[in-house]
Structures are given as structure tokens and as C-alpha cells.
């Protein structure tokens, strides 16, 4: 069992009232002062009554009241209520690492391991005493060991200027002749609903072995059903736990629909690795090998290999940096459909003192096809760039869901001009992890 005790309460040094009875406090003391004294005396139920009705005199006292309430809720076995108090403090003072540690401990006690892990890892961005650092590592290992299931759900409204990712050109040149594109082949704006959800179960197989079963779904749905894109993936495998990380592998199968019809099947092995390389750095990698079978175009059938390592670095308790290269190889029956792709993505998230949290990411990728396109008599090469920004308020929730708003821009430039496009999008949604 991991024990992390860091609660210290600043307060008056006056002697507390006798703990054997309900004697009245000294005249003139505020509810806040009485509550603080009762906490120091270990009379947590009595302290709760005074602290809940206390009216703080200033902002500093308001933050201390919340901290005391969090400590009291924890001692009374109410970790979710404690977490709410600590989250409210961090919304205005994200630099308070001691509060972040208490929040992580409250989430851990409430069984909200993903949230606990996030805040424990952020806390390692500060220079913690060695004893506290060791305790945090113990909690992280314990979270990995006891994890049995996880889930998430997200729903958003997504207006885009180019839903179908098509060119805005009026004409295209083929074999020296100029052809005019009809409207169905050109850029079209629209508003979609984006839904993603998933769940995973990790049953105990052995001392350091866990089963790994997961099912996920992602969908973009539009009023014009021909634009719909839905994908489902199921995974089965096994996870090996070790100090500072885990390694997993197994098989997966997927199904994708585009418009109102089936588009492709996929099946193949997968593997992943998570490693805490240092107090501030985590390295993860995911590898997939899928054989793709398409419903209506068998020249696309073939193997798809992808490798996605990610380095996650905690710069401080408010700032997180992620860097992730990407590699893909696509083999298809038609050589001009086979390709190689390399890319890189960089993301930064920062929590501000006003309660706002901002995430910005940029990614670039280059994709080169194996053979000349038979229609255009030239080889296709694409350069694609993405920019996205997302904003949320950490202390604001709707029924347990965190609302967010974001903007994205996507651009592709191709050696075959027909594949050029630009797309701007705004996303407004709700997300929750379990």
C-alpha cells in the first residue's frame, strides 16, 4: 500500500477547545477560524459544519478554506468531494504542487485512476523531496497494477469549410487537356456531429499479467449521409506490468463504413509499450500490422503497417510537452496505391492561473506513392499539415463532462493538384473519462 501524507494546515496557535465535549469556541472567532482550530484538534465532523458555512474574508482565506475542506473530506472518507475542492484551488492557482498532489491522492482514493495518474505525473515536473517523489512513483506503480477497466466518451459539433477534403479548383489538367470539375468533386462545407467512445477491461491473469480487451468507435455524422464516416475496432491481448511501465500485444479487428455502405475490414496484430524513462519523461509506442480488405475496390487491398512513438515531457506542474513521430507503410494490389509516410507532431498544453487550460498542436507529414498514377501519368506525393488549438476551463463541468472549444486547420499540397485542399474547422464538445 502506498501512503503519501503531505497535508499541513497553517493556522492560529491558540489552544483548541476541549475535545471531550462541545464547549463553545472563544467569543469573536469566525466560522473559518473555528473550523481551522477544530481541524487541528482532529474534530473533523465538527470542523466540517463550521467550514461549510464559513464566509472567507479574502481570496487567500477562501483558498485555505477549500484546502481545509479537502483535508476534512478525505479524513471522513469522501474523496470525490475532496477532489472538487482541490480542483477549484488549482483552477486559480495551478502552480500549487502540494494541492495537485492532494488532488491526485483524492482521485486515487475515489478509484479515478486516469485522473490520479495525470496529476501525479504533472507533480513530478516540480522538484519534489525524494521521499515524496518515491511515494508518487509508488502510486503510479499501484495504479498500473490495480487498473481493471477504463472508458471514455466524447461528443462534439464540428462545422468545417471542407468536409470531404476536396480541392477548390474549378478545372484540372489530364493528359494536356483541361477538364472542368463538377460540384460533387469540389470543396463543400458542412456541420457534422463527431462521436467517439470506448471501453477497455484488464482482468488479472497472473502476478504481473493482465488481459487486455477493448472496443472503440469513432463516427462523423452529417445531414448528408453520403459524407458519414464510422469506424469500430476491437482488441484482445495481454499486458505485462513492470516497475515504471507496461508492455502489451495481441490481435485486433476493425470495420469501417463510409457514406451508407461498408468500406473496409481490417485484421492483424498490435503491440504497445509504456515506459517512465525518468521522473519527468514518459515514452510510449504503438505498432499495428493490419491486412485491409475493401468492399468495392480490391486494388486497395493489402497490408498496412504503422508505428507511432510518443515522448511525453512534464516541463513543470502547469506545462506538458508531447513529441511524436509517425511512420506508415501501405501495400496495395495496385502499385500506385502503395505508399510510405513519415510525419512528426508536437503538442503543448498549459494551465493558466485564471482556470483556463490551452492545448496547441502542430503536425506535418510527407506521403510518397510507389508508382505513377495511371490517369495523370505522374507519381503522387503529398505534404499535409495540421494546426489545432483547444481551450477548456478546468473547474467547469456539466454533469461530469468537461466542455471544450477548439479550432483546427488542415492543408494538403500534392504533386497532383486534384488532391490539394484546405479545411478550417471549429469544434465545440463535451468529453469524459472513466
Amino acid at each position: 500500500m502506498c501512503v503519501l501524507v503531505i497535508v499541513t494546515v497553517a493556522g492560529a496557535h491558540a489552544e483548541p477547545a476541549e475535545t471531550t465535549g462541545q464547549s463553545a469556541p472563544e467569543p469573536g472567532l469566525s466560522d473559518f477560524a473555528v473550523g481551522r482550530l477544530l481541524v487541528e484538534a482532529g474534530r473533523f465532523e465538527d470542523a466540517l459544519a463550521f467550514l461549510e458555512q464559513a464566509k472567507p474574508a479574502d481570496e487567500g482565506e477562501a483558498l485555505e478554506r477549500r484546502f481545509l475542506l479537502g483535508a476534512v473530506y478525505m479524513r471522513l472518507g469522501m474523496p470525490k468531494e475532496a477532489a472538487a475542492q482541490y480542483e477549484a484551488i488549482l483552477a486559480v492557482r495551478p502552480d500549487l504542487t502540494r494541492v495537485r498532489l492532494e488532488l491526485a491522492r483524492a482521485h486515487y482514493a475515489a478509484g479515478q485512476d486516469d485522473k490520479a495518474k495525470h496529476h501525479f505525473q504533472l507533480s513530478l515536473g516540480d522538484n519534489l523531496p525524494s521521499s515524496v517523489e518515491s511515494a508518487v512513483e509508488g502510486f503510479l506503480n499501484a495504479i498500473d497494477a490495480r487498473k481493471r477497466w477504463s472508458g471514455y466518451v466524447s461528443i462534439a459539433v464540428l462545422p468545417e469549410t471542407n468536409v470531404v477534403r476536396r480541392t477548390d479548383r474549378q478545372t484540372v489538367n489530364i493528359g494536356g487537356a483541361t477538364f472542368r470539375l463538377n460540384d460533387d468533386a469540389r470543396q463543400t462545407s458542412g456541420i457534422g456531429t463527431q462521436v467517439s467512445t470506448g471501453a477497455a477491461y484488464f482482468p488479472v491473469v497472473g502476478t504481473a499479467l493482465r488481459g487486455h480487451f477493448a472496443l472503440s468507435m469513432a463516427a462523423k455524422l452529417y445531414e448528408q449521409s453520403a459524407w458519414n464516416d464510422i469506424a469500430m475496432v476491437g482488441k484482445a491481448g495481454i499486458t505485462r506490468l513492470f516497475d515504471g511501465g507496461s508492455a502489451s500485444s495481441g490481435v485486433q479487428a476493425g470495420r469501417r463504413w463510409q457514406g451508407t455502405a461498408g468500406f473496409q475490414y481490417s485484421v492483424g496484430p498490435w503491440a504497445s509499450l509504456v515506459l517512465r524513462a525518468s521522473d519527468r519523461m514518459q515514452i510510449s509506442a504503438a505498432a499495428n500490422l493490419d491486412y485491409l480488405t475493401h468492399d468495392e475496390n480490391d486494388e486497395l487491398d493489402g497490408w498496412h503497417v504503422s508505428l507511432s512513438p510518443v515522448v511525453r515531457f512534464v516541463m513543470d506542474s502547469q506545462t506538458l510537452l508531447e513529441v511524436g513521430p509517425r511512420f506508415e507503410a501501405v501495400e496495395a494490389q495496385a502499385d500506385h496505391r502503395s505508399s510510405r509516410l513519415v510525419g512528426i507532431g508536437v503538442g503543448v498544453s498549459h494551465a493558466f492561473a485564471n482556470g483556463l487550460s490551452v492545448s496547441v498542436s502542430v503536425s506535418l507529414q510527407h506521403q510518397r506513392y510507389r508508382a505513377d498514377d495511371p490517369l495523370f501519368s505522374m507519381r503522387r506525393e503529398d505534404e499535409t499539415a495540421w494546426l489545432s488549438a483547444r481551450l477548456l476551463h478546468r473547474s467547469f463541468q456539466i454533469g461530469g463532462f468537461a466542455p471544450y472549444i477548439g479550432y483546427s486547420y488542415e492543408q494538403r499540397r500534392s504533386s497532383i493538384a486534384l488532391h490539394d485542399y484546405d479545411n478550417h474547422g471549429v469544434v465545440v464538445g463535451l468529453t469524459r473519462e472513466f
Side-chain angles (χ1 to χ4, degrees):
M1 177 180 293
C2 300
V3 178
L4 176 61
V5 180
I6 58 172
V7 176
T8 58
V9 180
H13 297 284
E15 292 296 323
E18 293 293 331
T19 61
T20 57
Q22 298 295 325
S23 55
E26 297 179 18
L29 289 179
S30 66
D31 288 335
F32 170 74
V34 173
R36 184 167 56 185
L37 290 172
L38 289 170
V39 170
E40 292 178 348
R43 293 168 55 182
F44 300 107
E45 291 186 358
D46 295 332
L48 181 60
F50 281 95
L51 289 172
E52 285 184 332
Q53 69 185 17
K55 293 180 172 52
D58 52 41
E59 182 179 351
E61 198 169 279
L63 294 178
E64 186 178 357
R65 170 183 170 272
R66 287 194 178 278
F67 188 83
L68 289 170
L69 277 170
V72 169
Y73 284 133
M74 285 294 289
R75 293 300 295 265
L76 295 178
M78 304 165 67
K80 290 185 178 180
E81 290 78 3
Q85 298 299 324
Y86 296 135
E87 285 173 344
I89 297 174
L90 288 177
V92 295
R93 289 292 306 276
D95 57 311
L96 295 178
T97 301
R98 187 177 73 169
V99 177
R100 188 175 299 279
L101 284 165
E102 289 297 336
L103 173 59
R105 192 165 68 94
H107 282 316
Y108 178 84
Q112 298 173 322
D113 286 349
D114 288 338
K115 292 181 179 181
K117 190 172 187 176
H118 172 74
H119 289 288
F120 276 131
Q121 289 176 332
L122 282 181
S123 71
L124 291 171
D126 280 354
N127 296 318
L128 302 176
S130 59
S131 59
V132 176
E133 189 175 287
S134 297
V136 170
E137 291 291 339
F139 271 104
L140 291 172
N141 289 332
I143 288 171
D144 290 338
R146 81 175 190 177
K147 188 172 185 179
R148 296 292 179 272
W149 75 279
S150 65
Y152 67 92
V153 61
S154 177
I155 184 168
V157 177
L158 184 63
E160 295 179 286
T161 60
N162 190 358
V163 172
V164 289
R165 269 67 172 176
R166 293 174 183 162
T167 185
D168 62 353
R169 293 174 178 264
Q170 300 283 341
T171 60
V172 62
N173 186 285
I174 302 176
T178 299
F179 295 85
R180 184 173 182 82
L181 295 174
N182 61 36
D183 290 342
D184 290 340
R186 298 179 59 247
Q187 175 177 321
T188 305
S189 62
I191 300 176
T193 301
Q194 182 173 279
V195 181
S196 60
T197 185
Y201 176 54
F202 311 100
V204 176
V205 177
T207 303
L209 292 176
R210 302 288 184 269
H212 187 123
F213 302 95
L215 181 65
S216 61
M217 184 275 289
K220 284 186 177 180
L221 306 174
Y222 298 89
E223 183 177 356
Q224 187 168 332
S225 59
W227 299 345
N228 290 351
D229 194 342
I230 304 171
M232 295 185 67
V233 177
K235 289 185 174 184
I238 195 163
T239 296
R240 175 72 164 85
L241 304 177
F242 54 85
D243 286 345
S246 64
S248 306
S249 63
V251 294
Q252 65 181 12
R255 179 66 168 141
R256 185 177 178 185
W257 298 264
Q258 287 189 339
T260 58
F263 175 67
Q264 81 181 18
Y265 293 92
S266 64
V267 63
W270 62 273
S272 64
L273 174 70
V274 179
L275 176 65
R276 289 197 298 276
S278 68
D279 293 338
R280 296 192 179 199
M281 183 183 297
Q282 175 181 288
I283 300 173
S284 61
N288 295 281
L289 174 60
D290 297 306
Y291 190 82
L292 306 181
T293 304
H294 295 79
D295 293 61
E296 298 181 358
N297 190 352
D298 57 7
E299 72 173 17
L300 294 171
D301 294 353
W303 289 101
H304 176 213
V305 183
S306 65
L307 175 62
S308 305
V310 176
V311 177
R312 190 172 187 262
F313 185 76
V314 180
M315 302 178 69
D316 55 47
S317 61
Q318 298 170 246
T319 310
L320 180 65
L321 172 67
E322 290 188 348
V323 180
R326 180 175 179 81
F327 309 93
E328 285 189 7
V330 176
E331 297 293 331
Q333 291 189 19
D335 279 350
H336 71 281
R337 298 287 195 173
S338 301
S339 66
R340 298 293 183 269
L341 180 152
V342 294
I344 184 72
V346 179
V348 179
S349 60
H350 183 79
F352 292 93
N354 59 4
L356 295 178
S357 181
V358 177
S359 300
V360 178
S361 62
V362 179
S363 60
L364 303 170
Q365 73 178 34
H366 175 83
Q367 187 170 14
R368 177 180 172 83
Y369 289 78
R370 177 177 295 169
D372 287 355
D373 185 287
L375 179 62
F376 291 91
S377 300
M378 62 186 303
R379 185 172 301 191
R380 178 179 170 184
E381 289 191 49
D382 296 344
E383 301 280 351
T384 310
W386 290 267
L387 169 66
S388 66
R390 181 169 293 189
L391 177 69
L392 61 86
H393 198 290
R394 297 185 305 279
S395 63
F396 182 53
Q397 291 194 350
I398 301 174
F401 285 77
Y404 62 90
I405 184 171
Y407 164 79
S408 64
Y409 173 66
E410 182 179 352
Q411 179 192 80
R412 183 165 71 196
R413 295 294 177 261
S414 176
S415 58
I416 299 176
L418 179 64
H419 301 294
D420 289 353
Y421 69 79
D422 293 86
N423 181 42
H424 298 266
V426 175
V427 58
V428 180
L430 299 169
T431 184
R432 183 175 182 178
E433 295 182 353
F434 302 91

